[in-house]
Amino acid sequence: MNRIIGTTLACAGLLTATAACSGSDSGGKSDGPVTVTVMTWESPETNTAIKKALEGFKDDNVKVQLVDTPSGGYGDKLASLTQAKKLPDLFWCGNDTEQQYTSQGLLVDWSKRVDSGDGGLKADDFVGSAMKNWKTSEGQMGGLPSLMNTYGVWYNADAFKAAGIAEPKSGWTWDDMYSAAGKLAGKNGAKYGLVADQLTSADAPFTMSMYSVSAGGAPFTDDVNHPTKAEIDGKYTEGVEKLAAAIKSGAVAPPGYDASNVPALFSGGKVPMMFGGQWLAAGFQTDKPKIKYGFAPFPQVTTPATLYDSVGICTPQYTANEDATYKVLAYLNTKVWDAVLPASPVAPPAYTPAQESYFNALTKAGQATVVDTVKADLSAEKTVGVRFTTQWASQVGDLTTAMYQPILSGKKPVSDLQAYAGKINDLIKSQG
Amino acid sequence: MNRDGRSRGGRGGFSRNAGSDVKAAYLFIAPAIIGFTVFVVYPLVRSFYLSLTKYNGLTDPVFVGLGNFRRLFTVDPAFWPSLRATGYLVVLYVPLSLALGLALAMFCNQRFAGVRIVRTLAYLPVVLPAVATITLWKFILNPQVGLANTILDKLHLPTSLWLQSPSMSMPSIVIVMLWGVGGTMIIFLAALQAVPTELYEAARVDGAGPYAVFFRITLPMISPIMLLQVILQTTAALQTFNQPKILTGGGPGFSTNVLMLSIYNNGFSNLGRIPQLGYASAQVWVLFIVIIAVIALTAKFSSLWTYSDNTPD
């Protein structure tokens, strides 16, 4: 019996010792160079390019290590690493993640460093709307924006030509878009003329803001980070009515349409028009769709309006060496994109001096319409946010599913929009 | 042992040996007890405590009493549709899986050449990785380029939007779930093979037809297994997660947003959003109570339709 107890205790001791040795040595404080770990959500190809580019980072006291991540499931991995307090020193994060994590005190505040131009990174060199959105109400920045997401309408130029419709271009209207969608629906294996996930998904109410703002009306919300109200005015209602009619006619795909394989269907000529981000250009460059395609700015009512969104790189507050981490962060923002984007032009950098390589790569690949649209988006005067970044944003998503989407599907009257906005305003008030 | 019931070693020797055996017994069952306490009892108690708090897994829980339950039942627009979707899934899936499983088992209980191959094929989907088969079904049910609509189209039958239609999404998920009915079949097959053959022989002598044999002999004899299957399948259906997660993500609307998926989304998912673990724990307890209630009701009324030969002589 004593032997059994002894063996058990020995095993327990061994396990404890193993566990004690299994902690991360990220940014270790022991002698020798500091290791700064980096985690991205990019594809294996882009990660390979990033890894190669990071080899150019030269500092005797700092080593950089790219953490392997499974393809997909980045959100789950991020959540588990956050709760285990094992986040890498630098990790790719969305605007909402940065806002929410910063408000919980989980991230290092870089605002003073970037304001003072530390490491060659000057606040003025970043896209203004991105910097504004990455600051919390207290002026903190738990990370820095790295890449901009711009959006527009991808179209099948061949299908437009076959149907005798003029190709979309800057200045086209929402009526033009719905009219074209109606003519393209049901032709050449395409069930719908337009698949616009951004207009029918959980973020749909924000996208519709483009209509009202373009028509001189009010945006859906005054601020996605610190909203004080949600508003649906006459212009906004007009936009929803037009969209609901287009869905009813079968020109536009309804809410619930599975958008996961839409780019593939677009490449195969089964979707003539789709809302989407500029990042699809990188995939099209590799896969080379058989159709002739283009990328147009969003339609307008009277003045151009577009969505703005940016992703970035965040740092946990328990990073072992802030100086070393900031050096790598600065290198990522200023140098890495020059090496990565020519091979994989996924997005324009938020750090404007680094944007040239992105546009050069697209021009070289013959993606002139993408260059024009991205440039138009980046310089757009009227912009609206893509979604709330607040901690209670998921509750707004549930309200959208319960109240907004049925309006688009024609199951509830458009007049219910006011009740929907009222519920969101109640939520804003209850959150203080 | 002596006739008076004492051990040969006398009273003292008996106690010493028995005490040692008891200690050894406790030691041997200790891992199970520790495992049960750590992995079942503690999470149960902890989740109940968390259901009464606002907790994000990052900062300390804040006690809110029944606030989470109040939000569930009166504010959350997703909760009642989730409960409805879960109920619809159970009502649709359980009878179909039992009927199909039993039909398959009866077919595989026949004697014909290649019966073993048929049994293997029927059970094969159960051993295949669920994620792979579900993903395959997603392609099959794609309304534009999927195999299902292609076949329907060739046969000049009406096609469907399948997973993208609010009315067809849940039936589509049930179809995918029925792909794994081989597990139900195997248990029914074992039950069918345990029915005494003399009962069938006697029935044949009495001139009973196949329907009479099925309803008066087969069904009553396997009814205890049927009860087990009802409980197992209902519990499994109430905890369905993989299929809606992979196939629809809960949509369109809330049509397939079953409780387990809602719990997962609130507790762990939502890319980059702070989790709502306290709120998700409240949902877990609602699901737990629903499962207990359904099992209790099933067990209570089981005597009305199950056969038992445990009657006193």
Side-chain angles (χ1 to χ4, degrees):
Chain A
M1 187 56 60
N2 287 339
R3 188 180 293 172
I4 294 172
I5 295 169
T7 309
T8 310
L9 288 173
C11 288
L14 193 65
L15 283 171
T16 312
T18 313
C21 296
S22 65
S24 167
D25 62 352
S26 159
K29 288 174 182 171
S30 56
D31 292 340
V34 174
T35 300
V36 174
T37 49
V38 182
M39 183 173 83
T40 86
W41 56 47
E42 306 292 352
S43 65
E45 295 77 22
T46 309
N47 270 339
T48 304
I50 290 174
K51 198 171 185 176
K52 199 173 174 191
L54 284 171
E55 285 169 8
F57 178 81
K58 301 291 179 202
D59 190 316
D60 293 341
N61 298 316
V62 185
K63 279 170 64 179
V64 188
Q65 185 193 341
L66 194 66
V67 178
D68 287 330
T69 43
S71 184
Y74 185 85
D76 293 341
K77 173 145 187 168
L78 192 64
S80 56
L81 288 174
T82 302
Q83 289 182 28
K85 294 188 169 53
K86 297 269 183 187
L87 283 168
D89 299 301
L90 294 163
F91 61 95
W92 265 219
C93 58
N95 198 173
D96 44 1
T97 306
E98 182 264 342
Q99 286 287 317
Q100 293 177 26
Y101 279 31
T102 307
S103 66
Q104 293 287 320
L106 296 171
L107 303 180
V108 168
D109 177 20
W110 295 131
S111 59
K112 283 182 186 141
R113 284 188 188 247
V114 77
D115 284 344
S116 66
D118 192 3
L121 281 180
K122 291 177 192 162
D124 291 346
D125 283 338
F126 285 84
V127 174
S129 63
M131 288 300 274
K132 184 184 164 214
N133 234 35
W134 274 67
K135 282 197 173 172
T136 65
S137 53
E138 286 80 33
Q140 296 173 317
M141 292 187 84
L144 292 180
S146 56
L147 294 173
M148 299 299 298
N149 278 336
T150 57
Y151 302 85
V153 183
W154 291 93
Y155 61 92
N156 178 343
D158 296 333
F160 271 74
K161 193 176 176 185
I165 314 165
E167 285 183 31
K169 59 180 182 184
S170 181
W172 70 318
T173 67
W174 287 76
D175 291 336
D176 292 339
M177 182 177 75
Y178 292 137
S179 165
K183 289 174 187 165
L184 294 164
K187 288 186 182 157
N188 300 318
K191 185 167 177 60
Y192 302 106
L194 168 68
V195 178
D197 189 46
Q198 276 97 339
L199 276 174
T200 54
S201 66
D203 297 335
F206 296 86
T207 312
M208 186 49 77
S209 246
M210 288 195 299
Y211 186 97
S212 55
V213 167
S214 171
F220 175 63
T221 183
D222 53 349
D223 194 329
V224 289
N225 287 349
H226 324 288
T228 62
K229 64 175 177 180
E231 186 177 359
I232 286 174
D233 64 5
K235 295 292 180 191
Y236 191 100
T237 306
E238 180 184 289
V240 173
E241 280 168 347
K242 286 186 178 182
L243 174 60
I247 289 171
K248 192 178 178 185
S249 73
V252 178
Y257 185 91
D258 180 12
S260 59
N261 56 358
V262 169
L265 292 170
F266 176 78
S267 295
K270 304 274 184 187
V271 169
M273 246 193 307
M274 63 173 180
F275 274 32
Q278 87 295 317
W279 61 84
L280 294 173
F284 293 151
Q285 192 168 305
T286 315
D287 299 339
K288 303 201 186 311
K290 286 173 186 164
I291 58 163
K292 190 185 169 203
Y293 62 89
F295 188 46
F298 283 122
Q300 62 183 58
V301 181
T302 51
T303 52
T306 191
L307 300 169
Y308 71 87
D309 182 22
S310 57
V311 296
I313 305 169
C314 296
T315 298
Q317 47 83 17
Y318 45 78
T319 185
N321 189 317
E322 281 190 24
D323 289 336
T325 301
Y326 192 77
K327 276 183 189 173
V328 179
L329 176 62
Y331 185 78
L332 276 165
N333 267 322
T334 56
K335 303 287 180 196
V336 165
W337 302 129
D338 285 341
V340 172
L341 295 176
S344 181
V346 287
Y351 180 71
T352 50
Q355 286 179 352
E356 200 183 336
S357 56
Y358 171 74
F359 290 119
N360 285 344
L362 287 175
T363 306
K364 212 172 179 179
Q367 307 231 44
T369 57
V370 183
V371 173
D372 293 344
T373 297
V374 172
K375 281 186 175 171
D377 278 353
L378 289 175
S379 60
E381 206 172 300
K382 291 191 173 180
T383 55
V384 294
V386 292
R387 65 181 74 92
F388 284 129
T389 62
T390 54
Q391 288 190 44
W392 39 270
S394 63
Q395 293 183 54
V396 176
D398 287 339
L399 285 170
T400 302
T401 308
M403 302 178 75
Y404 190 92
Q405 288 181 327
I407 292 171
L408 297 184
S409 304
K411 289 176 186 156
K412 287 188 174 177
V414 176
S415 56
D416 276 15
L417 282 171
Q418 295 307 328
Y420 167 67
K423 289 264 185 192
I424 295 176
N425 284 323
D426 290 345
L427 197 55
I428 291 170
K429 276 182 202 151
S430 70
Q431 301 296 325
Chain B
M1 207 176 276
N2 297 329
R3 284 173 69 187
D4 62 358
R6 291 180 181 179
S7 79
R8 278 181 194 161
R11 193 171 179 145
F14 176 83
S15 298
R16 194 164 51 246
N17 289 340
S20 174
D21 286 348
V22 168
K23 277 184 190 168
Y26 276 126
L27 202 61
F28 277 115
I29 62 170
I33 293 174
I34 292 168
F36 183 74
T37 309
V38 172
F39 296 112
V40 177
V41 178
Y42 174 72
L44 206 66
V45 174
R46 177 80 176 161
S47 79
F48 182 68
Y49 164 68
L50 290 179
S51 72
L52 304 175
T53 66
K54 189 174 182 181
Y55 179 55
N56 58 24
L58 308 170
T59 50
D60 291 339
V62 178
F63 188 76
V64 293
L66 295 174
N68 287 327
F69 292 94
R70 229 181 345 262
R71 180 179 147 199
L72 258 182
F73 290 108
T74 61
V75 180
D76 189 344
F79 177 68
W80 290 109
S82 293
L83 211 56
R84 265 199 301 279
T86 311
Y88 182 32
L89 177 75
V90 171
V91 169
L92 207 58
Y93 171 71
V94 175
L96 281 173
S97 74
L98 294 180
L100 196 61
L102 183 56
L104 261 176
M106 292 188 69
F107 179 70
C108 290
N109 198 31
Q110 309 296 312
R111 287 185 185 172
F112 58 88
V115 66
R116 289 184 180 177
I117 295 170
V118 174
R119 285 177 190 170
T120 308
L121 287 175
Y123 192 68
L124 200 59
V126 181
V127 296
L128 292 173
V131 174
T133 51
I134 296 168
T135 307
L136 190 67
W137 273 100
K138 191 171 184 176
F139 288 112
I140 293 171
L141 297 174
N142 183 299
Q144 300 217 33
V145 292
L147 184 66
N149 273 0
T150 307
I151 292 172
L152 289 172
D153 207 33
K154 296 263 184 219
L155 297 172
H156 302 289
L157 291 170
T159 56
S160 169
L161 284 174
W162 301 112
L163 296 162
Q164 293 173 17
S165 151
S167 58
M168 273 304 291
S169 54
M170 190 57 90
S172 304
I173 280 180
V174 169
I175 290 170
V176 177
M177 289 172 73
L178 288 173
W179 186 242
V181 81
T184 313
M185 178 208 74
I186 286 288
I187 297 174
F188 274 133
L189 188 60
L192 288 172
Q193 291 180 348
V195 179
T197 50
E198 54 265 32
L199 290 177
Y200 291 118
E201 285 161 7
R204 270 190 216 104
V205 169
D206 290 344
Y211 290 103
V213 167
F214 177 73
F215 285 106
R216 292 178 183 268
I217 296 176
T218 307
L219 218 47
M221 291 304 288
I222 64 165
S223 58
I225 296 297
M226 184 70 86
L227 173 63
L228 171 76
Q229 292 277 43
V230 168
I231 291 174
L232 287 179
Q233 297 302 323
T234 306
T235 312
L238 285 166
Q239 297 179 64
T240 299
F241 174 77
N242 288 347
Q243 289 82 0
K245 167 73 180 163
I246 297 168
L247 294 170
T248 61
F254 293 121
S255 63
T256 58
N257 191 41
V258 291
L259 266 178
M260 278 300 284
L261 186 59
S262 179
I263 290 166
Y264 172 79
N265 283 334
N266 282 323
F268 304 104
S269 192
N270 290 330
L271 176 60
R273 289 190 176 139
I274 302 285
Q276 305 176 69
L277 286 165
Y279 189 61
S281 297
Q283 284 184 295
V284 165
W285 271 85
V286 171
L287 179 61
F288 180 65
I289 289 164
V290 168
I291 291 174
I292 294 290
V294 169
I295 291 173
L297 282 172
T298 309
K300 185 173 172 59
F301 294 106
S302 64
S303 60
L304 297 176
W305 57 274
T306 54
Y307 167 76
S308 169
D309 61 356
N310 292 334
T311 46
D313 293 332

